[in-house]
Amino acid sequence: ARYWFQKSAEQGHTYAQYALGKLLLSDDPEVHDVEDGIRWLKRAAESGNHFAAYRLGKEYYRGKTIGRSLTTAAKWFERGAQAGNQYAQYMLGKLYLTGQGVTHDQAQAMDWFSRSAALSKKYVRLSFFRRLMSA
C-alpha cells in the first residue's frame, strides 16, 4: 500500500497524500515514520484536504507523535472546519469553549458546535446537544 500511495501522493493526489500520512503515522513498524507522515499530512492539508487538516489538528492536540501545541492544533482544526469537516468543527468549538490554543469565546464555540451538529445525522444531533449541555 505504501508504494502505491507514495506514487499517487507524489503526483499531487491529496487523498493519497492523506492516506500515506496516516499510514506512516500508524503503529506498523515496517512503515512507521512520524516526520514523513506529518510532512504528507501537511502537504495534503495545504492543498485543501480537510481530513488531513483535522488529522494534523488531532496530532498537535494529543501530542503523542509530535510536540503538543494547542495553538497549532487550533490552526489546523480551523482549516479543516472552514472546509466543512464536522469533526474539526467540533474540536475547534471545544477549544473556543475551554480557551485552549485560542481566546475563550463561548459564542464562537456554539457556532462551531452548531455547524458540526448540522452536518451530523439527525439522530446524532439530539444526543450531541444533550451531551454538550450536560458537560
Side-chain angles (χ1 to χ4, degrees), residues 111-122:
D111 179 53
W112 285 115
F113 286 143
S114 295
R115 290 184 196 197
S116 176
L119 293 174
S120 299
K121 301 264 188 245
K122 186 175 181 176

Side-chain angles (χ1 to χ4, degrees), residues 75-88:
K75 174 187 115 174
W76 290 113
F77 286 143
E78 172 84 26
R79 189 174 284 211
Q82 291 290 354
N85 186 291
Q86 75 184 68
Y87 305 107

